[in-house]
Amino acid sequence: MQTILGASGPIGTELAKELKSYTNNIKLVSRNPKKVNDSDVLRAADLTIASEVDKAIEGSEIVYLTIGFEYNTKVWQRTWPALMRNVIDACKKYDSKLVFFDNVYMYDRDFLSHMTEETPVRPTSKKGEIRAGIAEMLLKEIREGKLTALIARAADFAAPANSVLVESVYKHFKKGKQANWFSDANKIHNFTYYSDAGKGTAILGNTKEAYYQVWHLPSIKERLTGKQWIELFAEEMKVKPSYMLVPGWLAGFLGVFIPILKELKEMMYQYDRDYYFDSSKFEKAFSYTPVSAVDAVRGIIKKLQ
């Protein structure tokens, strides 16, 4: 049995599709799970409760942790460390392998222009501190030989949901408005396309040699700036590529009225400098070519129409 914890999000859904190539025994776990494949086993669970995590993992050969909690620092502080501890304990109890779907918030902001699996960990945000803590919790278990696991990291998502490209560009153009971009639209910012993320995670989970390592999931290789991403969407949507910059101080001010901007303020540093996520380790190991930027934009638009 291969089990996805947090199966209802875009990554969990794509992962479920891809796992079908490896097994017919897939368990989808979330508050309200829905089948992706006809043979999927569904388990409704509140993953903030240790006993429900234990029951969800029981009988699993491989566990994929892809859950996404509310984008709120206080929620993360309360939920993430406890969940990681509970998942690790249950995986050890049932001798399950663990694949943790991670992000880049723990990386040193001075090294974002070329991120690899060797990029220094030095979080400079509260959310980054949380992510660094739970990653280290997992890596410690690996180093001590107590757990068979790996970390699969992704950059910002290019996806039909939970993506800055959709929320700040596509939806604005769709309403006849200017797109929004944060801090500096002339800085490079690449993304991980959601289908590549799902496929890459499935490949890693089902490759014995991939364990005990950190991997960057296959990501869009082109070094496009925010302005160029906006222009790609504008061209495909047949609109003018007009946009407005949202500086960090403005996000902080608007956060008084728009809670999500308050949460995003501490992460604005990801947009005031070049941000390039290098997935060449994965590409070389698995002879994999990520989706191109234009195909990612077309895929998102098609999915949302």
Side-chain angles (χ1 to χ4, degrees):
M1 180 71 72
Q2 298 199 23
T3 299
I4 303 175
L5 303 179
S8 297
I11 301 305
T13 300
E14 288 301 307
L15 175 57
K17 292 177 184 176
E18 297 299 332
L19 288 181
K20 188 68 175 175
S21 300
Y22 301 94
T23 179
N24 287 320
N25 296 318
I26 302 169
K27 185 195 300 181
L28 306 184
V29 184
S30 66
R31 287 184 182 273
N32 299 291
K34 297 180 180 178
K35 286 190 175 186
V36 176
N37 310 295
D38 291 339
S39 59
D40 290 343
V41 174
L42 304 183
R43 183 176 184 89
D46 181 347
L47 294 175
T48 65
I49 299 173
S51 61
E52 296 202 24
V53 171
D54 183 275
K55 291 176 183 176
I57 290 176
E58 184 177 6
S60 302
E61 176 191 359
I62 305 173
V63 174
Y64 300 86
L65 181 54
T66 66
I67 192 170
F69 288 116
E70 178 187 350
Y71 199 75
N72 179 286
T73 299
K74 291 182 179 179
V75 171
W76 281 25
Q77 289 171 333
R78 184 176 68 251
T79 55
W80 264 118
L83 174 65
M84 182 59 78
R85 183 74 265 160
N86 293 334
V87 170
I88 288 172
D89 288 347
C91 285
K92 289 162 66 175
K93 178 180 177 180
Y94 298 113
D95 196 25
S96 305
K97 297 176 183 177
L98 176 59
V99 176
F100 174 40
F101 187 88
D102 199 8
N103 66 23
V104 302
Y105 284 10
M106 77 294 298
Y107 284 156
D108 189 327
R109 67 170 66 193
D110 293 334
F111 292 82
L112 297 192
S113 63
H114 190 182
M115 291 174 276
T116 70
E117 290 83 353
E118 305 304 319
T119 294
V121 172
R122 186 181 72 87
T124 53
S125 67
K126 291 180 180 178
K127 293 183 184 68
E129 290 172 357
I130 296 165
R131 302 300 299 204
I134 60 176
E136 176 55 27
M137 194 185 302
L138 176 57
L139 291 170
K140 182 174 183 291
E141 297 284 343
I142 292 175
R143 288 194 300 268
E144 294 177 354
K146 297 177 179 178
L147 180 70
T148 301
L150 65 86
I151 293 178
R153 288 199 173 122
D156 280 350
F157 293 140
N162 302 322
S163 168
V164 66
L165 291 174
V166 170
E167 299 302 324
S168 297
V169 182
Y170 174 84
K171 286 185 178 180
H172 283 252
F173 281 160
K174 195 70 174 176
K175 294 176 182 177
K177 299 179 179 180
Q178 288 182 313
N180 282 344
W181 199 262
F182 300 118
S183 297
D184 189 342
N186 291 312
K187 298 299 183 183
I188 292 167
H189 202 104
N190 75 323
F191 293 83
T192 303
Y193 190 55
Y194 74 114
S195 65
D196 280 338
K199 188 174 294 184
T201 303
I203 290 171
L204 290 172
N206 288 277
T207 302
K208 181 180 178 181
E209 296 76 16
Y211 283 86
Y212 310 107
Q213 300 178 58
V214 175
W215 293 85
H216 279 188
L217 289 164
S219 298
I220 295 165
K221 296 182 70 65
E222 294 102 314
R223 295 175 181 267
L224 301 187
T225 64
K227 182 174 180 289
Q228 289 172 312
W229 281 108
I230 290 167
E231 289 170 347
L232 270 184
F233 272 92
E235 182 177 353
E236 293 299 322
M237 297 176 74
K238 310 302 180 188
V239 299
K240 291 184 178 180
S242 57
Y243 65 92
M244 180 182 73
L245 286 179
V246 180
W249 67 264
L250 180 59
F253 173 75
L254 294 176
V256 175
F257 312 100
I258 307 171
I260 188 63
L261 287 180
K262 180 181 179 181
E263 293 296 329
L264 281 170
K265 184 177 182 297
E266 68 169 352
M267 307 309 302
M268 285 294 182
Y269 69 85
Q270 295 184 110
Y271 294 89
D272 66 12
R273 64 201 68 202
D274 288 339
Y275 172 113
Y276 187 76
F277 186 81
D278 186 337
S279 59
S280 57
K281 174 184 173 181
F282 184 101
E283 294 163 36
K284 291 175 183 176
F286 299 103
S287 300
Y288 192 99
T289 301
V291 168
S292 68
V294 66
D295 284 342
V297 169
R298 288 171 178 168
I300 290 170
I301 293 172
K302 183 177 179 180
K303 190 76 173 179
L304 292 172
Q305 286 178 338

